[in-house]
Amino acid sequence: MTHQIETHGDRAAAVFARQDAWHRLGTTVAGHAFTAEEAMRLGHLGGWNVRKVPLTANVMDEDGVTTLDVPAFATVRTNPFTHAPEALGVVGSGYRPLQNEEHAEFLNLLADQSGAVFDTAGSLRGGRHVFVTMRLPESLFVGGTDRVDLNIAALNSHDGSSAFRLVVTPVRVVCANTQAAALRDHVSSWSIRHTSNAKAAVQAARDALGLTFAYAEAFQAEADRLLEREMTDAQFFDLIRATFGTASDDAPPRVRRASGDRLATLSRLFHDAETQAGIRGTAWAGYQAVVEYVDHFAPVRTKVAPDAARAQRLLTTEGPTNVKRAAWDALTAA
């Protein structure tokens, strides 16, 4: 798996204001924060006109070819580079396309309310997935010094594979680690189905933005508590077992070898990594070792641009988030 940013020749369907947690997905093409309209223009995300087209099936028998209606639809867009129609996926009758312009318009409303600025936007997998991220204006400082920015990532699919999803994610600046804390009573993501009520649901999510700030305050309070706790080697290895499990003695050699490699990398990060300066030996450092491993060192099934593959996995799948939340739960339950 490469970065899968949509490209056409030397042009890419992506725009980046700076290099940050998502920077491994493409090339920075703008040197400053940008607007929703610039995201559509510079990122080649505007004018797609995603629509539903009825599907039919041609059945050949002894009497010839019979055309049958299929109770499903293809999602089709206008390719931003060739301007030709292009199929993206198959959806049901209740599916309503959410245009990239609506995606960005929603985030513009959030920016107006929160002071957030657009940071990245792009198209993945030939237009099947689109992402836009924003950075909130105020940073958190765990222990008064360890800076954590707060990002809002809006993720949409045009192939029916997932809902419109809004994710609030803290980013530890020193190593661009995206955190994933499972905080009690604080919501860090919203999902909106592609239905006729999708636009109203987007408005409801905007109204819930206040939860973002409650989440940020709760995250900093929990992080400060972890920073105050010392963590021994034995406690760190307990955290690794709780997060990743262990390979049994009768597991295949490949599994045991992978488990040993993971433990060695995690131990190095916890004990020696420069990114642990100032927090080393704490429960907060233990959590950061896990997060840094997931974001920057976890194996991927490609030798071509592995960093980009990890970044895409982080942005478009739940696996990395689930691992981080498992680590956070193990630490905060202690």
Side-chain angles (χ1 to χ4, degrees), residues 95-257:
Y95 180 94
R96 175 191 176 276
L98 188 68
Q99 304 298 330
N100 294 341
E101 287 84 354
E102 295 177 275
H103 185 159
E105 178 188 5
F106 167 52
L107 288 174
N108 247 352
L109 295 174
L110 291 187
D112 289 344
Q113 292 292 311
S114 68
V117 294
F118 285 86
D119 219 23
T120 69
S123 166
L124 297 170
R125 299 181 62 239
R128 292 171 179 82
H129 293 94
V130 172
F131 66 92
V132 182
T133 73
M134 296 193 306
R135 176 168 43 92
L136 288 172
E138 296 184 6
S139 299
L140 313 177
F141 288 91
V142 178
T145 58
D146 198 21
R147 178 181 161 192
V148 176
D149 284 348
L150 201 64
N151 282 9
I152 300 175
L155 315 170
N156 190 29
S157 74
H158 292 306
D159 61 356
S161 61
S162 62
F164 176 90
R165 198 157 56 98
L166 182 68
V167 179
V168 178
T169 175
V171 177
R172 184 168 177 252
V173 175
V174 68
C175 49
N177 283 352
T178 52
Q179 319 292 301
L183 300 177
R184 183 179 301 172
D185 301 326
H186 295 284
V187 177
S188 60
S189 66
W190 298 267
S191 293
I192 302 165
R193 295 180 61 190
H194 291 78
T195 67
S196 58
N197 294 321
K199 210 164 188 180
V202 166
Q203 181 63 36
R206 174 200 172 191
D207 294 339
L209 181 62
L211 293 172
T212 298
F213 302 105
Y215 176 89
E217 293 170 3
F219 176 86
Q220 180 162 359
E222 290 281 2
D224 281 334
R225 280 192 283 271
L226 293 180
L227 186 61
E228 293 168 359
R229 278 172 45 195
E230 291 186 2
M231 174 169 271
T232 65
D233 285 357
Q235 290 169 331
F236 179 67
F237 293 136
D238 286 342
L239 171 64
I240 301 312
R241 283 190 288 270
T243 303
F244 296 98
T246 56
S248 62
D249 291 340
D250 58 352
R254 173 182 56 82
V255 174
R256 296 199 304 272
R257 184 167 55 252

